Amino acid sequence: MYTPILIPRVILIWLSDHSISKEEMYLDFEEAESLINTFGGKVYAALAQNMTRADYSTFIGRGKVDEAVGVVLEKKIDIVVINATLTPSQLHTLFLAFHRVNPHILVWDRISLILEIFSKHASTSQAKLQIKFAKMRQMGPRIYGMGMQMSSQAAGIGARGLGETNTKLMLRHWRSEKTKVQKELNTLSKKRSDQIDRRKKDGLSTISLVGYTNAGKTTLFNRLTGLDDLVKDKLFSTLDSTVNKFYLKSLGHQVYVSDTIGFIKNLPPILIDAFKSTLLQAVHADLIVNVIDSSDSRMDEKIATVQEILEQLQIERKNIMYVFNKIEKNNLLEKEKIADKFKEFSPHFISAKNGDGVDELMKSFGARLV
């Protein structure tokens, strides 16, 4: 478990891919920096390595490791973040290299960083349990790898059995804890399913708000339900599913609406799996509303990311509606072009913050839920 530092000093390292534009690479860096800021750290240095020079054992190459070690020492870095998915052995090799100049160094890949953000911002017991399960699945192979490392070290000093014993103990403990947490999550999933069944028996339709993180889902949720909960301008401000009712005039009765965890590019499958009980609200909703930040320069890419995750959850396209939010931030000169491009998803343009277009959106909800 991470022990908080006042403001962790971070070095961000990534592989530069010459098959994509410099602007795309900068935007990837910007998102990674946003993740670090959401965690509570600050980027004090950044390094890029040419993708063609990637190295199997260290991922970033020995020369880049030596360069990064110098930066860690000079800038007094607390955390090394590699904006990619690394193998357990690669992370361990990097940790050993940086540990020489900072015994308290932490070395994370993108998945590790997201998990730490989730751990830090989880507020409900279910969210914490889901994160714990994801961490155990992510760290399990690393624990095994560390055990093998111990075994090799022990063999070198003529104590072969020591490392093997430690490996078996760690694996046994990990499997036992993982099974225990899985059972608890299954119980919570059953409760969620029962709640969904009860709502269906009430005869009320359900709407689920989904979308890329920080697209404005919670702002729209508050606008629809009349709540005024604090909305944070941060990634992953919502980690659990919140359900409430609101009156839909066009139907003449109330409907349920849920706000759930935001998605992100390269969201690890283990996180999607761990958060299945939370995402049940979306899977079983009558209408899925993909809330999209229309002011985002990477809008199309983020739409594709969310759609891919919805397909993984086996949500039918016919149940999905696209809502382009934050129109107050731009003049949407290409509104007609966007509407035509995504006409399959009944596109609407709104400002959840100001309320513009929300009345028309609710009328459309009614038409879809009749």
Side-chain angles (χ1 to χ4, degrees):
M1 178 61 72
Y2 173 72
T3 302
I5 302 168
L6 192 57
I7 300 180
R9 302 167 69 94
V10 180
I11 179 173
L12 177 58
I13 305 174
W14 76 101
L15 293 185
S16 60
D17 183 355
H18 292 297
S19 66
I20 63 175
S21 67
K22 288 184 178 180
E23 181 184 8
E24 287 179 283
M25 282 192 285
Y26 173 77
L27 290 170
D28 276 339
F29 171 84
E30 197 174 51
E31 181 170 89
E33 187 175 26
S34 293
L35 286 170
I36 290 165
N37 292 339
T38 299
F39 169 74
K42 182 178 179 182
V43 176
Y44 275 77
L47 293 176
Q49 173 65 296
N50 190 319
M51 183 170 279
T52 59
R53 297 182 182 177
D55 177 74
Y56 178 77
S57 63
T58 65
F59 188 76
I60 59 174
R62 293 287 176 181
K64 192 61 65 174
V65 170
D66 291 340
E67 182 182 351
V69 165
V71 175
V72 167
L73 184 61
E74 178 189 352
K75 301 286 186 180
K76 299 180 180 178
I77 297 297
D78 302 299
I79 306 172
V80 176
V81 173
I82 297 90
N83 190 34
T85 301
L86 275 65
T87 66
S89 61
Q90 286 170 337
L91 281 168
H92 186 64
T93 299
L94 289 173
F95 170 77
L96 292 177
F98 295 121
H99 182 266
R100 297 198 309 267
V101 294
N102 180 357
H104 305 291
I105 197 75
L106 295 169
V107 181
W108 296 342
D109 63 358
R110 184 181 174 87
I111 296 177
S112 306
L113 174 60
I114 292 173
L115 284 171
E116 292 298 335
I117 291 170
F118 281 16
S119 293
K120 192 171 183 180
H121 294 98
S123 57
T124 67
S125 56
Q126 179 163 359
K128 290 176 182 177
L129 195 62
Q130 289 169 324
I131 293 159
K132 181 179 180 180
F133 182 64
K135 273 191 169 185
M136 292 184 74
R137 292 187 61 188
Q138 173 71 5
M139 296 301 293
R142 297 184 191 182
I143 292 172
Y144 179 76
M146 289 169 63
M148 292 301 290
Q149 177 75 15
M150 292 170 63
S151 177
S152 299
Q153 291 174 349
I157 58 173
R160 185 177 183 84
L162 178 62
E164 291 175 339
T165 300
N166 281 327
T167 300
K168 290 177 181 178
L169 286 172
M170 284 188 288
L171 275 172
R172 190 179 301 125
H173 176 71
W174 172 71
R175 286 170 179 160
S176 175
E177 284 295 304
K178 183 167 164 281
T179 300
K180 178 183 174 182
V181 174
Q182 177 72 79
K183 286 180 178 178
E184 292 181 59
L185 279 176
N186 289 342
T187 300
L188 288 172
S189 291
K190 178 65 168 57
K191 287 182 180 178
R192 287 269 175 138
S193 294
D194 290 344
Q195 289 172 348
I196 291 168
D197 288 340
R198 283 196 296 271
R199 289 176 191 137
K200 286 185 177 180
K201 287 178 182 178
D202 289 342
L204 299 185
S205 301
T206 56
I207 299 170
S208 182
L209 306 180
V210 301
Y212 208 86
T213 185
N214 212 28
K217 294 183 294 80
T218 301
T219 303
L220 179 57
F221 178 85
N222 291 346
R223 172 73 60 179
L224 294 172
T225 60
L227 297 176
D228 57 359
D229 294 344
L230 178 65
V231 179
K232 299 176 182 177
D233 186 22
K234 284 189 174 182
L235 306 181
F236 305 117
S237 59
T238 301
L239 288 180
D240 206 346
S241 183
T242 305
V243 181
N244 210 326
K245 294 178 185 178
F246 74 98
Y247 183 77
L248 196 54
K249 186 177 179 181
S250 56
L251 282 182
H253 58 73
Q254 290 182 316
V255 298
Y256 285 105
V257 61
S258 68
D259 178 24
T260 193
I261 183 173
F263 301 147
I264 195 168
K265 181 181 177 182
N266 298 324
L267 189 66
I270 60 167
L271 281 178
I272 296 174
D273 189 50
F275 276 78
K276 269 185 178 175
S277 58
T278 293
L279 294 170
L280 279 174
Q281 302 290 350
V283 172
H284 294 284
D286 297 300
L287 178 62
I288 311 296
V289 176
N290 179 5
V291 182
I292 299 156
D293 181 353
S294 66
S295 67
D296 195 321
S297 61
R298 305 184 84 175
M299 184 183 74
D300 284 0
E301 179 186 334
K302 292 183 178 181
I303 288 173
T305 293
V306 173
Q307 191 60 41
E308 182 181 338
I309 294 172
L310 293 178
E311 288 172 5
Q312 288 179 43
L313 294 171
Q314 298 183 325
I315 292 174
E316 295 185 42
R317 295 170 73 91
K318 66 180 181 180
N319 295 333
I320 302 170
M321 173 187 286
Y322 283 3
V323 173
F324 293 86
N325 187 31
K326 304 187 183 181
I327 59 172
E328 77 279 359
K329 290 190 175 184
N330 58 71
N331 56 17
L332 279 174
L333 293 175
E334 297 188 340
K335 183 177 176 179
E336 289 185 11
K337 184 178 178 182
I338 293 170
D340 184 62
K341 182 177 181 180
F342 298 107
K343 60 184 177 182
E344 175 189 358
F345 300 101
S346 307
H348 283 72
F349 298 84
I350 70 164
S351 169
K353 181 180 179 181
N354 299 334
D356 297 338
V358 174
D359 287 343
E360 290 79 5
L361 176 64
M362 288 197 287
K363 288 178 184 177
S364 184
F365 286 166
R368 291 288 295 266
L369 295 173
V370 170

